[in-house]
Amino acid sequence: MFDLDTALFLWINSLVGAVPLVDRFFFWAMNDYLIPVALSLLSVGLWFSGSSEQERERHQRGVLVAALGLLLVNLLIREMNQVYFRPRPFVDHEVKLLFYKPPDPSFPSNATAVGFAIAAGLGFANKRVGALAYIMAVTLGITRIYGGVHYPLDVLVGALIGYGSSYLVRAILPYLEPLPTWLLKIGRKVHLA
Amino acid sequence: MLEALTLPGLIYFTFIFLAALGVLQIAAALNSLRGLLLVRNKFLSILIGIVLVAGAFVWYLNLTNGFLLAKIEGEQQGILFLLGSSAALLVTLILASLFHWNRSMPSLQETNGLDALKEMTYWQVLRVQLRGKAREKATSKPPKLRR
């Protein structure tokens, strides 16, 4: 399994340098700022969107799921990192690195998990916005393999953890009632929801 | 939370603030939330929003040498995003209320959630709410008994 993972990583990473323009784009897309911030801003936009009160409430619940999913992702990955440490690819292999050397564990990909947690939350509420968010999250994952900071398995598991966290939050949310409804009601009282 | 207030933190906060300001203008224009618009024209509001979002990203990208000098930890990022976007919302509410302080106010009506911002600025919504409460208080007073 790990051999295949490494082989796939080395093949993808070997493409670095072939097209400098692609390298430039991947260099910008793979960092912790461009796509994660864009996804978070998309959440802000979705909070204020909706042609009816019902649609807006669906969107706002989606943003809540994304935010709670994000918290769960951070908790899960923090715990996983205590149990298992997989070194970054550049530690064990000769890698064409597009970015700086992150010191934290390679497995699972934290950035991808964050991207997928937000994308799933938004996707549950609005399919079109969700599709855009998933494209961003997938791009983030692929660029991080290409750029030499993650193995494909790290990204795959990160994506599953991210999606799974938001899915779980969405499933649990009805059991947390009336808390989410109260929160939205307070927001509505101050005219911000 | 104070750990987030370093120079890179303040720069990141400004980046988020400007980008969120832009997103709010785009979302308000697309959803007819006129009480959040800084200018009356919807098309111009979307344009301002796009310029703010794109400008914020380009500015941050240049300032941090392609994000290489950004150096904000994950948790800090979350806190600063929350602070930056909240500040952007607050500034939007204040500026939109100031810029359109003389906008004609619809007749006193029941306002509900964000829908209230479709016709009124936030300041006007608060005034309507306060007036409604004052009226409620006045009508709920028991009549004085005459001897």
Side-chain angles (χ1 to χ4, degrees), chain A residues 54-123:
Chain A
Q54 288 77 18
E55 191 183 22
R56 203 181 307 126
E57 181 171 339
R58 185 158 45 85
H59 289 168
Q60 288 165 355
R61 282 181 185 270
V63 175
L64 275 182
V65 168
L68 292 173
L70 201 62
L71 283 179
L72 187 59
V73 156
N74 280 321
L75 282 175
L76 283 174
I77 292 184
R78 193 182 291 179
E79 290 309 309
M80 283 176 85
N81 287 345
Q82 303 287 332
V83 180
Y84 177 64
F85 185 95
R86 186 185 197 190
R88 296 274 179 174
F90 51 76
V91 175
D92 297 327
H93 307 280
E94 200 152 304
V95 169
K96 294 175 187 170
L97 201 61
L98 271 185
F99 209 52
Y100 66 87
K101 295 179 175 177
D104 54 333
S106 186
F107 180 90
S109 167
N110 200 349
T112 313
V114 163
F116 271 83
I118 299 176
L122 303 189

Side-chain angles (χ1 to χ4, degrees), chain A residues 23-164:
Chain A
D23 288 357
R24 197 78 202 145
F25 168 73
F26 277 33
F27 163 73
W28 284 334
M30 71 183 288
N31 65 72
D32 298 325
Y33 302 94
L34 188 71
I35 291 178
V37 170
L39 283 167
S40 306
L41 289 172
L42 209 56
S43 309
V44 172
L46 193 65
W47 181 273
F48 291 92
S49 300
S51 53
S52 62
E53 204 179 308
Q54 288 77 18
E55 191 183 22
R56 203 181 307 126
E57 181 171 339
R58 185 158 45 85
H59 289 168
Q60 288 165 355
R61 282 181 185 270
V63 175
L64 275 182
V65 168
L68 292 173
L70 201 62
L71 283 179
L72 187 59
V73 156
N74 280 321
L75 282 175
L76 283 174
I77 292 184
R78 193 182 291 179
E79 290 309 309
M80 283 176 85
N81 287 345
Q82 303 287 332
V83 180
Y84 177 64
F85 185 95
R86 186 185 197 190
R88 296 274 179 174
F90 51 76
V91 175
D92 297 327
H93 307 280
E94 200 152 304
V95 169
K96 294 175 187 170
L97 201 61
L98 271 185
F99 209 52
Y100 66 87
K101 295 179 175 177
D104 54 333
S106 186
F107 180 90
S109 167
N110 200 349
T112 313
V114 163
F116 271 83
I118 299 176
L122 303 189
F124 294 145
N126 185 308
K127 285 204 169 109
R128 273 201 303 180
V129 173
L132 180 65
Y134 276 121
I135 291 171
M136 288 193 214
V138 169
T139 306
L140 183 60
I142 291 172
T143 54
R144 289 182 83 85
I145 303 169
Y146 181 88
V149 292
H150 279 300
Y151 292 101
L153 195 63
D154 307 339
V155 168
L156 187 69
V157 174
L160 288 173
I161 290 173
Y163 179 84

Side-chain angles (χ1 to χ4, degrees), chain B residues 24-45:
Chain B
L24 285 171
Q25 286 308 295
I26 296 169
L30 293 177
N31 293 283
S32 304
L33 297 168
R34 297 198 303 159
L36 287 177
L37 293 180
L38 299 179
V39 290
R40 284 172 199 244
N41 188 302
K42 274 188 187 180
F43 177 75
L44 197 60
S45 296

Side-chain angles (χ1 to χ4, degrees), chain B:
Chain B
M1 196 184 278
L2 284 174
E3 287 168 11
L5 295 175
T6 54
L7 184 62
L10 284 175
I11 292 169
Y12 184 75
F13 170 85
T14 311
F15 159 50
I16 297 299
F17 172 77
L18 291 173
L21 213 58
V23 166
L24 285 171
Q25 286 308 295
I26 296 169
L30 293 177
N31 293 283
S32 304
L33 297 168
R34 297 198 303 159
L36 287 177
L37 293 180
L38 299 179
V39 290
R40 284 172 199 244
N41 188 302
K42 274 188 187 180
F43 177 75
L44 197 60
S45 296
I46 294 174
L47 199 69
I48 289 173
I50 292 171
V51 168
L52 275 170
V53 174
F57 272 101
V58 170
W59 172 72
Y60 193 65
L61 188 87
N62 277 327
L63 206 68
T64 57
N65 190 20
F67 305 114
L68 279 172
L69 305 174
K71 289 177 185 162
I72 312 279
E73 291 301 315
E75 240 166 71
Q76 268 182 303
Q77 268 192 53
I79 294 167
L80 288 168
F81 186 88
L82 212 65
L83 290 175
S85 47
S86 303
L89 179 60
L90 191 71
V91 167
T92 300
L93 294 174
I94 293 170
L95 287 184
S97 295
L98 280 174
F99 291 167
H100 308 296
W101 66 274
N102 57 351
R103 176 184 282 172
S104 61
M105 223 159 106
S107 55
L108 203 63
Q109 56 185 322
E110 192 59 41
T111 51
N112 192 21
L114 268 177
D115 281 332
L117 295 176
K118 285 195 169 171
E119 296 301 327
M120 293 181 276
T121 64
Y122 199 69
W123 172 242
Q124 288 175 328
V125 172
L126 291 181
R127 269 176 61 194
V128 167
Q129 227 171 13
L130 287 174
R131 261 195 241 169
K133 272 190 185 157
R135 264 202 326 182
E136 232 172 68
K137 233 180 189 177
T139 51
S140 64
K141 265 187 188 168
K144 281 182 183 171
L145 290 174
R146 282 187 181 176
R147 284 185 186 174

